[in-house]
Amino acid sequence: YVLTDEEFNDMQSDNLFQQRFMLKFRGLAQQLSPRLTPGNFAAALDLAISSLAQDWERAIRQSKFNMLGGIMFEKDVREIQRYLEQESGSLLRPRFARLVQMADVLAVESAADVRHILDAQPVDVSARGALSEKDIQGLLANRIDLAAGSDGPKGTTG
């Protein structure tokens, strides 16, 4: 998720990640659906979506970003969530809450912009879906264009 302007523009018009994901997920669902009862199929989808969200969170914590990559990740999360809600018929906002917050943090223009994310969170950060300040600092550390302790992208002031 370290993108140049050109790569970002290309992904805007032809996002291979989203296309591949949807194709593979649809293929998996088509293989499982005729073999399982509706209840078991729904449970299998639920398990797959939970696993996906957890694995994606883990992968993102280990990835590097710039602001354009953060914006693209934000779009990926929202589009995949929308697609999975459509396919599963379930509201997945709670399952994707942490990914959405991670995307919001990674798409900020400056570290100072993250304050509104912290201010908007519930007081109890142990609640499922809430990022802790440590989580947010870890994500900001993965932004290669933000200097540690600065308010703006590297090479800029403020």
Side-chain angles (χ1 to χ4, degrees):
Y1 280 106
V2 177
L3 304 175
T4 64
D5 288 338
E6 185 177 328
E7 290 168 330
F8 180 79
N9 290 332
D10 288 347
M11 289 180 76
Q12 291 280 74
S13 62
D14 191 26
N15 191 320
L16 293 178
F17 168 74
Q18 290 177 14
Q19 291 173 13
R20 270 191 231 127
F21 175 85
M22 291 174 191
L23 182 67
K24 297 286 185 182
F25 192 86
R26 190 173 298 120
L28 174 67
Q30 288 172 344
Q31 291 290 321
L32 291 177
S33 180
R35 292 176 169 84
L36 298 173
T37 65
N40 285 344
F41 178 70
L45 281 184
D46 187 57
L47 182 60
I49 291 168
S50 292
S51 180
L52 164 74
Q54 291 172 353
D55 286 350
W56 203 0
E57 281 183 40
R58 195 173 12 256
I60 292 308
R61 284 192 298 271
Q62 298 170 4
S63 299
K64 297 295 180 191
F65 288 81
N66 62 6
M67 188 172 76
L68 292 176
I71 292 168
M72 186 53 61
F73 172 59
E74 185 175 41
K75 290 179 181 200
D76 286 345
V77 168
R78 293 181 197 285
E79 185 61 26
I80 296 298
Q81 178 184 346
R82 185 197 62 74
Y83 170 76
L84 291 172
E85 284 177 342
Q86 187 177 4
E87 289 296 308
S88 70
S90 299
L91 180 64
L92 300 175
R93 188 169 292 137
R95 294 264 173 75
F96 277 75
R98 287 182 58 85
L99 282 168
V100 168
Q101 287 179 352
M102 292 169 86
D104 289 345
V105 168
L106 291 165
V108 296
E109 188 171 332
S110 72
D113 293 341
V114 161
R115 192 81 242 156
H116 78 278
I117 294 170
L118 289 174
D119 292 342
Q121 285 189 9
V123 176
D124 180 12
V125 295
S126 66
R128 175 141 174 78
L131 293 178
S132 69
E133 188 147 356
K134 182 180 175 184
D135 292 333
I136 291 171
Q137 293 306 317
L139 290 168
L140 290 175
N142 290 352
R143 276 283 302 273
I144 64 167
D145 56 345
L146 293 179
S150 79
D151 288 339
K154 286 184 181 176
T156 67
T157 56

